[in-house]
Amino acid sequence: MWSCEDFNYTDNNQDQRMCHDFHLVLFIFSILYLIICFPTSLCYNVQLVLVNLYNKATMTMPDVYFVNMAIAGLIINAVAPVYLLGPEYTKWSLWSFGNEVYITLLILFNISSLVIMYSTTLLSLDYYIECALPRTYMSSVYNTKHVCGFIWGGAVLTSFSSLLFYICNHVSTKIIECSKMQNREAADAIMVLIGYVVPVLAVLYALVLILQIRKETTPLDQDSGRLDPSVHRLLLVTVCTQFVLWTPYYATLMVNTFTDIRVKSTDHRFMRTFHFIEGLSSFLAFSSSFVIPLLHRHINKNFHSKLQRLLKKLHCGGQGCPHERTVVQQVMT
């Protein structure tokens, strides 16, 4: 992930010492992530998906979005070890710019990040619809599942620019169209605009609407079909957490997009500091796959009971638990 050998040492010993300090900090974060965050994220995301798929009949609109975020979190969690054990530290040839594995993982990461951001955004908008018009078709579970399908499809199409960049790096440079497309900064700018700026504006708009409607007391507030009040707290915590964790990553993409190439090639101290901040921002982005399911587990009041039902089902096997068979027999009689 980090190596001081990537920079020419024309600087003094103090700069070289700073570079090795950066390397040590990122190495410690990498080890902590692989030991603590990686297995915990894998466990909680799989748990969130299985619990909700087992309890399909009781799934609500927010549950569908959190399942999609969990699936995207699993993909990010799979990419993280390859990135953290990259060639800058281990000299692993799989993670090098332009390599097939690198481009594939980059595309998967971009798709997952877009799914997470847009799931968070649409969760905010649909929650407003549910608050304003409870039990409507627009915020129903059925409609949400189809919307999530469009989210994944749109994320794949948006990440198509990275795929074109990869293809053009492997064809003849005599092709004018591809020579113009060999620009990583352009792909980063697209990701910043579509993956961050648009969701931020949409979420701010949704939160303003939600705050306005919650100030008003209407007969609909007593409607039994409305979502659990704890969902509002879960929504606010999820939105704030997602943007806190992803903002530094997109900020580094923006800096990389608008930084002059001449500065990148001459100012070694700036590049060392920038790569260090870029590494820390990647840690925060990867940690979203660990933090969000943890928050969902502890804030969502219904998740624990759903998990208990799943564990009882797994414990009893396909025959069903004795108390369940008794309930069925009573209903039949």
Side-chain angles (χ1 to χ4, degrees), residues 104-125:
T104 302
L105 295 176
L106 179 62
I107 293 174
L108 290 176
F109 179 82
N110 288 341
I111 292 174
S112 301
S113 65
L114 289 173
V115 169
I116 288 174
M117 298 302 288
Y118 276 94
S119 294
T120 305
T121 302
L122 292 177
L123 173 62
S124 305
L125 294 171

Side-chain angles (χ1 to χ4, degrees), residues 180-193:
K180 293 180 179 179
M181 291 177 60
Q182 292 181 3
N183 190 340
R184 185 184 179 185
E185 287 72 17
D188 290 343
I190 294 174
M191 287 299 299
V192 171
L193 176 63

Side-chain angles (χ1 to χ4, degrees), residues 21-312:
D21 290 340
F22 286 165
H23 172 272
L24 179 61
V25 172
L26 292 179
F27 173 74
I28 293 174
F29 273 107
S30 299
I31 296 300
L32 291 176
Y33 183 92
L34 293 174
I35 294 176
I36 300 175
C37 298
F38 176 77
T40 307
S41 173
L42 181 64
C43 176
Y44 281 167
N45 279 301
V46 170
Q47 194 177 94
L48 195 154
V49 173
L50 293 180
V51 166
N52 282 284
L53 291 182
Y54 174 74
N55 297 276
K56 286 184 179 181
T58 58
M59 282 183 68
T60 60
M61 173 267 296
D63 292 332
V64 179
Y65 285 120
F66 276 101
V67 167
N68 280 269
M69 283 189 276
I71 295 174
L74 287 172
I75 297 176
I76 291 179
N77 205 41
V79 173
V82 184
Y83 175 80
L84 298 177
L85 299 175
E88 289 84 358
Y89 174 68
T90 62
K91 304 304 177 185
W92 192 10
S93 60
L94 286 178
W95 189 270
S96 59
F97 188 71
N99 184 280
E100 287 82 356
V101 176
Y102 170 87
I103 296 298
T104 302
L105 295 176
L106 179 62
I107 293 174
L108 290 176
F109 179 82
N110 288 341
I111 292 174
S112 301
S113 65
L114 289 173
V115 169
I116 288 174
M117 298 302 288
Y118 276 94
S119 294
T120 305
T121 302
L122 292 177
L123 173 62
S124 305
L125 294 171
D126 278 3
Y127 181 75
Y128 164 71
I129 295 175
E130 182 66 22
C131 289
L133 301 170
R135 293 185 295 185
T136 58
Y137 171 77
M138 292 189 65
S139 60
S140 65
V141 174
Y142 174 80
N143 190 54
T144 302
K145 291 178 180 179
H146 287 78
V147 170
C148 289
F150 284 105
I151 292 177
W152 283 95
V156 172
L157 292 177
T158 305
S159 301
F160 190 66
S161 59
S162 299
L163 180 61
L164 291 179
F165 178 77
Y166 158 68
I167 294 175
C168 286
N169 273 334
H170 287 73
V171 300
S172 175
T173 56
K174 295 181 180 180
I175 302 179
I176 300 177
E177 290 77 7
C178 272
S179 64
K180 293 180 179 179
M181 291 177 60
Q182 292 181 3
N183 190 340
R184 185 184 179 185
E185 287 72 17
D188 290 343
I190 294 174
M191 287 299 299
V192 171
L193 176 63
I194 299 178
Y196 184 77
V197 176
V198 174
V200 164
L201 295 176
V203 165
L204 290 176
Y205 178 69
L207 291 180
V208 169
L209 294 177
I210 291 172
L211 292 176
Q212 287 179 350
I213 198 171
R214 286 181 66 86
K215 292 179 181 179
E216 302 175 1
T217 303
T218 65
L220 291 175
D221 292 331
Q222 308 299 325
D223 196 321
S224 60
R226 297 175 73 85
L227 293 173
D228 192 297
S230 64
V231 176
H232 178 71
R233 186 160 59 99
L234 180 60
L235 167 67
L236 291 179
V237 173
T238 300
V239 170
C240 295
T241 303
Q242 290 285 29
F243 282 97
V244 167
L245 296 177
W246 283 97
T247 295
Y249 171 76
Y250 283 104
T252 56
L253 289 185
M254 189 177 301
V255 172
N256 189 55
T257 300
F258 295 104
T259 301
D260 193 345
I261 299 178
R262 291 173 295 181
V263 174
K264 296 179 181 180
S265 59
T266 58
D267 194 340
H268 298 300
R269 176 174 292 187
F270 167 78
M271 289 309 300
R272 273 194 289 269
T273 306
F274 175 74
H275 282 298
F276 175 70
I277 296 174
E278 190 176 33
L280 291 180
S281 67
S282 298
F283 277 113
L284 291 177
F286 287 135
S287 65
S288 67
S289 64
F290 160 75
V291 176
I292 297 304
L294 193 63
L295 292 174
H296 180 271
R297 178 186 175 91
H298 287 86
I299 298 179
N300 190 343
K301 298 189 301 183
N302 299 323
F303 183 80
H304 183 72
S305 60
K306 292 181 179 180
L307 178 60
Q308 292 299 320
R309 286 198 295 268
L310 175 61
L311 293 178
K312 289 180 181 178

